[in-house]
Amino acid sequence: MTSTNSTTDPADPRPLLVVLARPGTGIDSRWLSLVRKAFDWPVLTAVPKAGLPVPPDNPDWQKWLERESSHPALQHGVVLIAAGLDLPEYFQPRLQQALESPDCPPLFTLPGTHQAGLGFGPLTGTADVNDSIVAAAARPGFAPVRFRPEHLAIIAPGRIPQALEQARQGLCHVYDGIWVEDHQAAMGSHCRPAPDVTAATGHLNAAFERLADARPRAALPHYGFDTRPVTLHISHSWGGGVERWIQDIVASDTRHNHLVLASGGSTETPTHGQQLTLYAASQAGRIPVREWVLSPAISSTDITHDNYRHILAGIIRRFGAGRILVSSLIGHSLDVLGTGLPTAHILHDYYPAWPALDLDPLVFDDEGYNGQIDVARGIAASGGSFLFAERSPEKWTRLTRAWHAAVRAHEIALAAPTNQVLMRWRRLVNDPLEKAKIIPHGFTGWPAGTAAIAPRPAGCGRLNLVVVGRLSRGKGLRLLADALQQGLGRHARITLLGCGRQGMKFFGWPGVDIILDYRHEQLPQHLARIAPQAALFLSTVPETWNYVLSETRALGLVPIATRCGSFEERIEHGRNGILFDPQPAALVKALTDLNARPERLDAMRSALPAEASMAEALAALDSLVASRGTRPPAAAAATGKDLDASVMAGHLADLHKQQAAQLETLEELRVQAAEKTRWAQRYERMFNERSRWARQLDGELSSLRHEFSETVDRLQGELDEQQQKKLAQTHAQLENAHNKISAITSSRSWRLTRPLRITGRLAYNAR
């Protein structure tokens, strides 16, 4: 912040900052102190000062300005601001830039939550984050609206009469480059902006919509206003090693601000430059701030393209880019090599000289083909995996020659991560490229405290190995399958970590464990759990670097890799790793030999080299780019068009289609809901009817149960009575019989005949 020097000289050429006190609250002294530190303009508050007009005693600045319009101190511009507003970073120089713009209107205001109808949302970031997004997404420019600013009004120097006339008509302009919030009350969130205000800030609102799932954790850089120069990266939207390199550079480089211009398009077509997206890149992440539709679309790479050149020149001018780092030309135009800015092409691959991305160009090195590599055979060998619509070798030859000529004419710096990359490029363009430099990709390292992997064997006399990353045709998918069929599983148990969809073919294979995906920051935890003894690298195409090699070596894993591409250069066979020919039999033999002497891994583990640091890579890159002289940027093509309106119209049309589809779906849901409601009502009536019937049956059942109980009790009583009577009769009969028997046995005749009875019983028994 600049220290304050608020003079009261009416002839002071600086604008006057007039603080509007809020009714009943006054001006907070702490806020005013911050304002005085942020501005070196004269500040007018509620306390009168000699040589300055009497300050307004209420927020009605229009009447005050009409009364004091001729005062000399007001002729250099006036900023009327309500006390308590949150003033964003670099507010004064950004506002000064707007006031000095040749198309600055007499009266304008800024978007934000300081007044109802000027905001949009929902905004979830802090005030400084929201302002940084607005600053990056702004065009910047002025849009006329029917709106009367009350809490923040800015009047251009010498334009007071025109500003007052606009205020009387209820008109002003909205400048889209600065966002101002009111921490006391987010008034902008309580009123929907009018259509003209919505149109004026529509591109800002669209920028926030793009950030719905990627809110930045911190404010974006203020490009052109802080002291750091701006680096513009040229890339594509495919991710991979290119994106990783840019992320590492951005995260490690504190001397520059960074922007990324990425090409993209529908993945359903081989047209890779349908649109461009500009990202603000910082330690907080990569945030999309602008989009353009290329007209016409770029299929692969154009030699020249009017619309692309116009967009590129606008980005350089708007953000003050000081140098360009080209990581990929896919979806771009070679115009990016002719801006006049210091430019370096980072050779992450062999494009555009070699469009068969999944094949090694040296395989097609045909001395009989004019002494050059046979591009036609490479395209034919790619078959269905060829990613581009243009299959004509002549087209690619013309593009390569144009690239080579642009590199020579504009002194483009070339940087390759390894010697083998540069060797192939020299062969592809038939040029020694004597000024090209080898700059290894630096490694940011794992967080402090990340422990090295403690390896353990898989058991059953087998090695415990891991393959990290996606499997594909060029990443060893076929090599691994063939090696497993030749008995690789007898010597090693293999975990495929992050193998992706193509690795699903190994589900159920003996000796293979599969983890389809993982988060990059969790790689050390995954490896610690697996505890592999070494890492397998199965690429059959020449990789230019391979970040996983750096990551796993930093964790203490010995690499076992194909003798292909950068692996040959980065691994010393037998000392700090093992190399094998990219053939299934060679892989099986290498692991068979290692399994016979697994103690070799301990010696190789202790000899693993330290990875190149990002500081070393940045220093070499800065030195390389700085060696290129700066020439004036190429002028934008006169035929170029800014397609912002077309982009917004396209988005609006898409939204209308989505709305129509949603309305149709809503109508279908309404019909289904009505049917289900009728069904529910019908079943509710049936339920009610059956409930009444059930209640009636329950009553009847209760009555029957009572009657049954009474009948049972009555019958039980009668039964008991009958049984008692029968029992008494039986008892009487028994007693009568007993008396008769007693009379007989006690009689004289019974005693006299006793011997006869005994003799008769003995005779019966004898018979």
Side-chain angles (χ1 to χ4, degrees), residues 344-347 403 407-408 411-419 421-423 425-426 429 431-439 620 624 627-628:
H345 188 175
I346 314 302
L347 304 177
W403 174 87
V407 167
R408 286 289 187 182
E411 299 181 5
I412 304 301
L414 300 177
T418 56
N419 278 299
V421 174
L422 187 54
M423 178 267 292
W425 266 100
R426 287 167 172 163
V429 298
D431 186 323
L433 301 175
E434 62 277 356
K435 293 185 179 181
K437 300 296 183 183
I438 304 299
I439 302 179
L624 178 65
S627 66
R628 297 298 184 264

Side-chain angles (χ1 to χ4, degrees), residues 508-526:
W509 286 45
V512 179
D513 297 322
I514 296 177
I515 301 174
L516 291 178
D517 208 353
Y518 69 93
R519 293 174 58 182
H520 176 261
E521 65 273 14
Q522 294 179 346
L523 179 59
Q525 290 84 350
H526 282 289

